[in-house]
Amino acid sequence: MHFTSFDALRTKEPELLEKGPLALIFVEDEIEIDSTLRHHIDLGFSQVIVFIPKAFKMAYDVTEHVIRVDCEHTTGHAMIDMVNRVAECAPEVWLFYCFNSEYLLYPFCESRTVGEMLAFHNEERRSAMLTYVIDLYAGDLWEHPNAVSIENALIDKTGYYALSRPDAKNHNHPKERQLDFYGGLRWRFEEHVPEARRKIDRVSIFRAQPDVKLRPDFTFTDEEMNTFSCKWHNNLTAAVVSFRTAKALKTNPGSTFDIPSFKWHNSVPFEWHSNQLLELGLMEPGQWF
């Protein structure tokens, strides 16, 4: 299904936004578009909506299973604004957003659908889920100059940490059940990353709420939606494994020549399995077994 704009989708087929969970994929470049879409189709989203520049192509088998929306601006504030627009048109619907060359993994995703996972999360009276953006990168940057290799992806097995999140409205005291998380390539190569973009936490799964907006730092105006757990026990968290930072560091002229390799002594092959992320402590099953 193909629409020339989101307004066209909303006007002609509004029922497509009525049943979730919906995956919103924002395409920034032509790298791994098809694998990103196939991955999220297989997770069991009701609809996968891809916001993509008109000139970019998708494989035929993928085109049949996604909703294509022509969109020339898919980064920065334009992406945030579009997520908020979709949320306004889909009240109480679960939404997930990410970019191309990013892949959602959650506990037991190999055998359970995203709908089953969110049904449990909803029963725990949660309206959002914290995800950690975990960097992937190619081991050989000569063979893969854009730092992307699905078959030979590496991941950092350690080097992740959290700091308290200060509340500017309360004398910078730490916010309750909120932390700023760091690690991966943004930590190891922080001299090339603006301070505001070094965090790896992102509230990328949420149930659309009236008058609640996504902010540019990937948190919401409703502070409870930014918490990693409820008050009485730990909740589910998920991970978005992502080549996005590696791509940026190797395509940016200011950093590419300073980085001959992303490999270090804590690099391990990525297994494309949720169990690896659970064992590394990069997501939490909570009470879901």
Side-chain angles (χ1 to χ4, degrees):
M1 205 170 287
H2 184 189
F3 297 93
T4 57
S5 67
F6 178 68
D7 287 335
L9 186 161
R10 184 182 59 179
T11 302
K12 296 177 181 178
E13 302 284 350
E15 65 275 8
L16 295 175
L17 304 174
E18 293 177 358
K19 182 180 178 181
L22 305 178
L24 313 179
I25 313 295
F26 293 86
V27 176
E28 300 178 294
D29 53 41
E30 297 185 86
I31 299 174
E32 294 298 339
I33 296 174
D34 296 332
S35 68
T36 304
L37 298 177
R38 290 190 185 103
H39 177 85
H40 294 95
I41 291 168
D42 291 343
L43 290 181
F45 283 96
S46 295
Q47 303 287 353
V48 175
I49 305 175
V50 53
F51 296 90
I52 182 171
K54 188 180 299 184
F56 290 2
K57 296 180 179 179
M58 300 185 297
Y60 181 76
D61 66 298
V62 174
T63 303
E64 289 185 317
H65 295 95
V66 303
I67 300 170
R68 176 173 182 145
V69 178
D70 292 342
C71 186
E72 296 303 318
H73 303 288
T74 56
T75 61
H77 288 286
M79 179 277 246
I80 298 294
D81 291 343
M82 185 58 70
V83 171
N84 286 325
R85 288 188 64 194
V86 176
E88 289 177 2
C89 300
E92 300 300 321
V93 172
W94 282 97
L95 305 176
F96 164 75
Y97 63 90
C98 72
F99 300 92
N100 62 299
S101 70
E102 295 191 327
Y103 308 85
L104 172 67
L105 280 83
Y106 51 85
F108 323 120
C109 61
E110 293 76 21
S111 58
R112 303 182 189 179
T113 68
V114 65
E116 292 174 313
M117 186 263 291
L118 290 176
F120 176 83
H121 201 55
N122 190 58
E123 288 174 358
E124 294 205 314
R125 291 180 285 172
R126 299 289 287 167
S127 295
M129 181 180 293
L130 180 65
T131 61
Y132 306 110
V133 181
I134 306 302
D135 290 323
L136 301 179
Y137 47 92
D140 187 340
L141 297 183
W142 291 104
E143 183 179 357
H144 305 284
N146 61 9
V148 177
S149 173
I150 296 292
E151 296 79 11
N152 299 295
L154 300 179
I155 186 176
D156 287 3
K157 68 177 181 179
T158 190
Y160 305 94
Y161 65 98
L163 300 176
S164 60
R165 180 175 291 172
D167 187 352
K169 297 180 179 179
N170 187 26
H171 308 289
N172 281 330
H173 292 306
K175 291 186 177 182
E176 181 183 4
R177 293 173 289 118
Q178 294 189 43
L179 295 170
D180 290 330
F181 294 85
Y182 300 88
L185 300 182
R186 301 182 193 207
W187 168 61
R188 291 202 277 130
F189 299 94
E190 64 178 11
E191 67 272 19
H192 298 294
V193 182
E195 184 175 357
R197 298 182 182 178
R198 292 175 187 169
K199 298 194 302 109
I200 64 169
D201 51 275
R202 181 194 296 176
V203 186
S204 56
I205 306 175
F206 68 99
R207 191 174 61 205
Q209 304 288 319
D211 301 321
V212 176
K213 300 294 184 183
L214 179 66
R215 298 184 291 214
D217 63 351
F218 302 121
T219 63
F220 285 88
T221 52
D222 180 347
E223 292 295 339
E224 182 62 28
M225 294 175 68
N226 302 326
T227 58
F228 54 78
S229 70
C230 60
K231 294 182 178 181
W232 47 91
H233 63 66
N234 290 342
N235 294 115
L236 276 161
T237 59
V240 177
V241 295
S242 172
F243 287 104
R244 192 166 178 247
T245 297
K247 284 192 302 180
L249 288 171
K250 282 307 294 179
T251 56
N252 189 327
S255 57
T256 185
F257 299 109
D258 293 338
I259 306 173
S261 175
F262 288 121
K263 291 178 67 175
W264 65 322
H265 61 282
N266 284 317
S267 296
V268 295
F270 183 56
E271 300 171 3
W272 293 99
H273 198 285
S274 63
N275 192 55
Q276 182 183 26
L277 297 173
L278 287 167
E279 290 179 347
L280 293 175
L282 298 176
M283 59 186 180
E284 167 68 52
Q287 310 301 306
W288 197 39
F289 302 105

